[in-house]
Amino acid sequence: MLQFVETTRVALRSLRRNVLRSALTTLGIVIGVSAVITMIEIGQGSARAIRETIARMGANNLLIQSGAASSGGITLGGGSGNTLLVSDLEALEVECAEYIAEVAPIVRARTQVVYGNKNWVPFYLYGTSPAYPDVRQWPLEEGSFFTEQDVRNSVPVCVLGQTLVRELFPDSSPVGQDVRINNQPFRVIGTLEGKGADMVGFDQDDTLLAPWTTVKYKVAGESLQETNQSVALPIDTASQVNSLNERYPGLHLPLYPVPSTSQTANYPQANRLETVDRIALRVGDGVDMATAKKEMSEVLRRKHRLRDNEPNDFNIRDMTEQSAAMGSSSAQMGSLLLAVALISLVVGGVGIMNIMLVTVTERTREIGLRMAVGARPRDILRQFLIEAVILCLLGAALGVVLGRGGSAFMNYWKQWPVESSTWAVVASVSSSVLVGIIFGYYPAWKASRLDPIQALRYE
Amino acid sequence: MISPNPNAAPLIELADVRKTYLLGEVELPVLKGVSLEIRDGEMIALMGASGSGKSTLMNLLGCLDRPTSGRYVLDGEDVAGMSRDRLARIRGQKIGFVFQNFNLLARTTAVDNVLMPLEYSTSRPSDTVARARAVELLTRVGLEDRLDHEPGKMSGGQQQRVAIARSLINQPRLLLADEPTGNLDSKTSKEILELFKRLNAEEGITILLVTHDPNVGAAAHRRIVMRDGLIADDGAGHVHVLDEE
């Protein structure tokens, strides 16, 4: 160890004897390392930016939808089953707490929203809970969101997306105004920030959010059956009109005695009231989507008392495919850039070898002298090797500073997202040490093989 | 000439040492059987025309090279068959070198030049002790006010003094000086020779001066003359009869 320190000191001394050349020698390493670090920092920054964009688009969201109701061999489409209950959501919240960051129910409706002489039918008219903005990571632009209390009391308040704001309130702020939905006055208490289209191009800003209880009891109660194609027809009505039912009985046995037609007519709200159309949730950071989906599906199957051979009466959808595709393309780009940067490190290594060979030739007399005063071949080898490694280390240190500076500069100049990376520093510094050893070895070996007599006589 | 201590044990003993170089297929004998004894504390001039083999002999004595055959006992150790690494150790411990062209490290202070051999020493003293020793040696060669000067800023004589101080840092038994005054003017040469004499007289260091210069030869206690790869006169009374051309 002591010897190593001493050799390092000697190496530093001899490098200092020719500062300019040492600097030029290590320039390749400096450029290589700074390139690696800048590339990785910018690459990771843009990867993170992409991840965040994907997250904003809902990639870490899961959507649980009730399954298709089917009646007499005719399925009524996804979400028609009315099988999801508010208690399902509560069960998920408790039993899958480790996977779930936020969860909110969704009750859908499709109806006209009127303000003054303007009207609009929002694509997403959602009844939900105060957790929804957190699920979608969707901040408010103005005003406030409704509260749990509003949900409990079915308060007619709503929050508008930017498209509705544009359509209904082109000139003034909507907050504090009343809009009419299904002939019910709703007070606008806030607006959502613009979010743009989702991955498949639907306008996400075309949204109106209200407490789910309000939407369910005051809006959807009638409008769903009138306007929404995908909502359930009462099963018994379907079986009445469809004789195929007898040939292809549905898998679901009716849980309760099937009401008669007159009963249905008398009690139009025969559907269980606590159903919700969807459950939207955001999984926690670093949670494996597949595991989360599996766990949730098990909880729901248990709650729905499904037999092993019965299919799910709900489905869970996610967007991992999209996010994986986008993530992998940025990872590919990153490794490509890294490869280019590593090549420049190797080129830097060739530069080191070149100059070290020159140095050995130039210092032949010195090597002879050192051998004469007692240096063994291995001492000479070690000395030149350490010299090369120190050159590389100094170059790497300078490269780290320059690389950090470069990425900071790009961040400042072009607002490119960057992320500082300790891993990049460790990797590039250690690979430049490796370069120093590999490319310094041959010149050092050559120096150690010199014959002291001839070396001393060398002019 | 009388050596200072005729009863001292021989520091160097060469017995029928031969050195043959191979030039391609042709064998070129340079030393053709040299036998020699050097006692501890002697100051010797090794003289001879160029091509007489005195450089080769000096390289062998300095353990920079190994004889093709023969026996070389240095300070009780037979070094003829040693490995390169062992020879390097012997050089570091027992031999100091002074060269005609000084061979100082450029852009390195006098003190650091003197300290350099310690980098390879097996018994390296601590930094402060080593530095004190270097300063002491530089003082002894008369350079106490040039400690931090670099070779480029010193005269030839001063550079050679630094080189002498460097050769002494490992407290060698034998000092080998190859034409130590070859690059110096006559006045400086005299001073350097005086320095060698003093070191020999005061410290009892065995000094071997390889030289053409009869003035240098005159400074030594004993002169060994080489001719055609053999010792013509070993200065101790054994005169080899040679064919005169």
Side-chain angles (χ1 to χ4, degrees), chain A residues 113-142:
Chain A
V113 180
V114 182
Y115 175 73
N117 60 350
K118 299 193 175 66
N119 68 80
W120 186 255
V121 179
F123 191 77
Y124 302 101
L125 199 167
Y126 277 180
T128 182
S129 76
Y132 190 76
D134 287 334
V135 172
R136 297 297 314 275
Q137 290 168 309
W138 199 347
L140 287 177
E141 170 134 325
E142 213 185 321

Side-chain angles (χ1 to χ4, degrees), chain B residues 30 48-54 227-229:
Chain B
V30 180
S50 41
S52 62
K54 66 183 191 317
R227 197 175 302 152
D228 293 332

Side-chain angles (χ1 to χ4, degrees), chain A residues 21-102:
Chain A
R21 174 191 291 176
S22 305
L24 287 176
T25 307
T26 195
L27 194 60
I29 297 291
V30 173
I31 292 171
V33 168
S34 59
V36 168
I37 287 182
T38 310
M39 296 289 176
I40 290 182
E41 293 202 344
I42 290 177
Q44 287 197 345
S46 62
R48 189 188 54 188
I50 287 173
R51 267 202 313 279
E52 279 170 2
T53 308
I54 291 171
R56 257 206 309 283
M57 290 165 98
N60 53 355
N61 284 20
L62 285 178
L63 203 57
I64 305 175
Q65 197 171 30
S66 51
S70 83
S71 170
I74 295 178
T75 59
L76 295 172
S80 56
N82 277 4
T83 53
L84 287 177
L85 305 176
V86 173
S87 61
D88 287 345
L89 183 149
E90 284 155 3
L92 285 175
E93 241 178 342
V94 173
E95 294 187 41
C96 295
E98 72 262 42
Y99 301 113
I100 296 176
E102 292 291 344

Side-chain angles (χ1 to χ4, degrees), chain A residues 2-3 6 9-10 13 16-19 365-366 368-380 383 448-453 456-457 459, chain B residues 21 55 59 64-65 84-86 88-89 91-93 95 97 99 101-108 112-113 116-120 124 127 166 170:
Chain A
L2 189 72
Q3 201 172 24
E6 178 66 22
R9 216 159 53 174
V10 172
R13 216 176 291 148
R16 210 166 42 210
R17 253 182 271 148
N18 211 333
V19 176
R365 279 251 299 278
E366 180 192 328
L369 169 71
R370 287 178 182 277
M371 286 178 156
V373 301
R376 292 166 300 172
R378 75 181 73 149
D379 295 324
I380 299 292
Q383 185 181 334
S448 74
R449 301 311 300 166
L450 285 174
D451 175 27
I453 298 166
L456 277 169
R457 225 180 273 150
E459 290 300 328
Chain B
Y21 288 111
S55 290
N59 289 337
L64 289 166
D65 207 349
R84 276 170 67 118
D85 282 1
R86 294 270 289 127
R89 284 267 176 263
R91 288 199 296 272
Q93 286 163 5
I95 301 169
F97 288 90
F99 305 95
N101 47 21
F102 325 131
N103 270 330
L104 297 177
L105 298 179
R107 269 165 275 176
T108 306
D112 284 337
N113 260 299
M116 190 273 282
L118 289 180
E119 285 163 20
Y120 309 104
R124 187 175 28 231
D127 280 4
R166 179 184 64 197
N170 272 325

Side-chain angles (χ1 to χ4, degrees), chain A residues 173-390:
Chain A
S173 165
V175 175
Q177 305 294 321
D178 285 341
V179 296
R180 277 184 299 125
I181 305 170
N182 204 24
N183 271 331
Q184 305 263 352
F186 276 68
R187 173 69 46 89
V188 179
I189 57 168
T191 58
L192 293 162
E193 261 183 19
K195 209 171 170 66
D198 64 11
M199 283 188 202
V200 284
F202 285 114
D203 180 8
Q204 300 182 88
D205 292 327
D206 195 359
T207 294
L208 185 146
L209 302 174
W212 68 269
T213 47
T214 319
V215 172
K216 188 163 183 66
Y217 302 132
K218 296 188 173 166
V219 180
E222 288 168 42
S223 67
L224 270 179
Q225 291 174 7
E226 284 165 8
T227 57
N228 196 332
Q229 301 277 314
S230 67
V231 87
L233 290 166
I235 287 169
D236 39 0
T237 321
S239 47
Q240 275 173 355
V241 298
N242 192 344
S243 60
L244 287 172
N245 195 32
E246 283 140 36
R247 200 173 286 175
Y248 307 108
L251 269 167
H252 286 280
L253 300 167
L255 205 55
Y256 303 106
V258 178
S260 71
T261 316
S262 56
Q263 269 176 319
T264 316
N266 287 339
Y267 302 99
Q269 290 181 328
N271 285 343
R272 282 166 293 171
L273 292 179
E274 291 292 285
T275 60
V276 294
D277 291 317
R278 291 170 177 179
I279 294 171
L281 54 87
R282 181 163 63 85
V283 298
D285 286 335
V287 167
D288 179 39
M289 279 284 192
T291 328
K293 279 166 78 177
K294 193 160 151 282
E295 288 291 320
M296 288 174 195
S297 145
E298 266 164 30
V299 170
L300 288 178
R301 284 185 69 88
R302 198 163 63 243
K303 272 226 72 200
H304 292 184
R305 299 170 189 281
L306 296 178
R307 278 182 239 123
D308 284 346
N309 58 351
E310 274 181 306
N312 289 346
D313 60 356
F314 56 88
N315 55 64
I316 304 179
R317 288 179 294 138
D318 65 31
M319 291 173 115
T320 40
E321 232 170 82
Q322 282 94 322
S323 62
M326 295 183 86
S328 81
S329 77
S330 87
Q332 228 164 42
M333 201 59 202
S335 41
L336 200 70
L337 291 175
L338 191 62
V340 172
L342 284 176
I343 287 172
S344 69
L345 260 188
V346 171
V347 173
V350 174
I352 295 258
M353 175 140 96
N354 193 359
I355 297 297
M356 286 308 287
L357 281 172
V358 172
T359 304
V360 167
T361 312
E362 220 186 46
R363 283 160 61 187
T364 301
R365 279 251 299 278
E366 180 192 328
I367 294 165
L369 169 71
R370 287 178 182 277
M371 286 178 156
V373 301
R376 292 166 300 172
R378 75 181 73 149
D379 295 324
I380 299 292
L381 179 84
R382 186 175 52 223
Q383 185 181 334
F384 277 87
L385 201 53
I386 284 183
E387 217 168 280
V389 169
I390 284 180

